[in-house]
Amino acid sequence: DAKTTQPNSMESNEEEPVHLPCNHSTISGTDYIHWYRQLPSQGPEYVIHGLTSNVNNRMASLAIAEDRKSSTLILHRATLRDAAVYYCILRDVNTGTASKLTFGTGTRLQVTL
Amino acid sequence: DAGVTQSPTHLIKTRGQQVTLRCSPKSGHDTVSWYQQALGQGPQFIFQYYEEEERQRGNFPDRFSGHQFPNYSSELNVNALLLGDSALYLCASSLRLAYHQETQYFGPGTRLLVL
């Protein structure tokens, strides 16, 4: 599995944008970039995913570098409820029905008032 | 629409015992995956079940086994418990579509403590 590298922790003020980086220099052409987050005392939840183009949904935006060796998850206005561990995960589209998620240690986001 | 449910929420066992954890997938889902999450670590993939068969397995010993029932619910069994098996056990369900980047939906987990 291609590996991802994320900072261990980040801090943000409430109502401000947060940019969570992820490096994946060994990404292959068939790897999708997925983000999940895990709120305290909960299981992980899906946030967003993309392949080459930037993606937006109601939770966040995903900016993917042109060479695809890095990506950034953007929370446009962080709230206290966004405090969580954020995981950047690569998934090979060719795995078909073998769809395990390979988690790293993620980035712990702290949001303060 | 109920999401993924797991039981029990917490469990305390002693070394050498056996434990069974249960998972009901989200309505409409047919695939169940199990993960182990040690304190301070990301979840680690144990195995995945589809059509009542184990389809993929992570790097876990044979002490870890599972089962999927015709209603898609699943059990995780761990035999001969070790102290190191203490962890949060997460169940995730998804809909199995070939070559589709399906989203996995996780339950709240079962926290197992082995003494």
Side-chain angles (χ1 to χ4, degrees):
Chain A
D1 295 329
K3 191 170 176 168
T4 62
T5 304
Q6 299 177 252
N8 288 333
S9 62
M10 292 184 65
E11 287 187 24
S12 173
N13 295 321
E14 199 177 23
E15 303 294 321
E16 291 187 356
V18 181
H19 290 231
L20 296 163
C22 180
N23 289 318
H24 28 77
S25 57
T26 59
I27 191 170
S28 74
T30 53
D31 281 330
Y32 274 78
I33 302 159
H34 285 245
W35 285 81
Y36 280 71
R37 72 178 184 180
Q38 188 170 18
L39 303 170
S41 302
Q42 294 188 26
E45 66 174 348
Y46 167 81
V47 178
I48 200 167
H49 77 277
L51 183 62
T52 55
S53 304
N54 295 344
V55 184
N56 301 295
N57 66 20
R58 64 174 181 81
M59 290 181 71
S61 295
L62 176 60
I64 301 172
E66 199 167 330
D67 64 5
R68 300 209 327 124
K69 293 184 185 298
S70 65
S71 60
T72 303
L73 180 70
I74 302 166
L75 307 178
H76 295 286
R77 290 180 64 196
T79 71
L80 296 177
R81 288 175 295 179
D82 291 319
V85 179
Y86 287 78
Y87 296 98
C88 171
I89 299 166
L90 300 182
R91 295 181 76 189
D92 187 344
V93 67
N94 287 329
T95 60
T97 54
S99 57
K100 70 176 184 178
L101 295 173
T102 302
F103 291 84
T105 52
T107 297
R108 181 173 298 278
L109 175 65
Q110 191 173 352
V111 181
T112 54
L113 291 170
Chain B
D1 176 27
V4 179
T5 59
Q6 293 186 242
S7 63
T9 55
H10 295 81
L11 204 51
I12 299 175
K13 292 285 189 179
T14 56
R15 279 179 298 175
Q17 285 189 311
Q18 178 264 343
V19 68
T20 298
L21 311 181
R22 295 177 176 82
C23 171
S24 291
K26 181 177 167 65
S27 178
H29 284 184
D30 57 7
T31 301
V32 172
S33 302
W34 287 91
Y35 294 80
Q36 179 196 66
Q37 185 173 25
L39 208 57
Q41 302 295 315
Q44 300 299 304
F45 176 77
I46 303 175
F47 43 53
Q48 183 181 80
Y49 277 84
Y50 170 67
E51 289 186 334
E52 304 178 46
E53 288 189 20
E54 183 183 295
R55 299 294 177 167
Q56 192 178 17
R57 188 179 184 92
N59 189 24
F60 280 81
D62 292 346
R63 298 186 298 109
F64 290 77
S65 64
H67 190 78
Q68 186 179 34
F69 299 94
N71 67 352
Y72 308 118
S73 67
S74 177
E75 288 182 349
L76 165 65
N77 301 292
V78 186
N79 293 323
L81 284 167
L82 304 174
L83 296 180
D85 295 331
S86 295
L88 180 68
Y89 288 85
L90 294 159
C91 169
S93 76
S94 56
L95 183 61
R96 193 172 184 85
L97 298 173
Y99 304 106
H100 180 73
Q101 294 283 305
E102 85 282 6
T103 296
Q104 293 199 7
Y105 292 80
F106 285 81
T110 293
R111 187 161 296 282
L112 172 65
L113 178 61
V114 182
L115 301 176

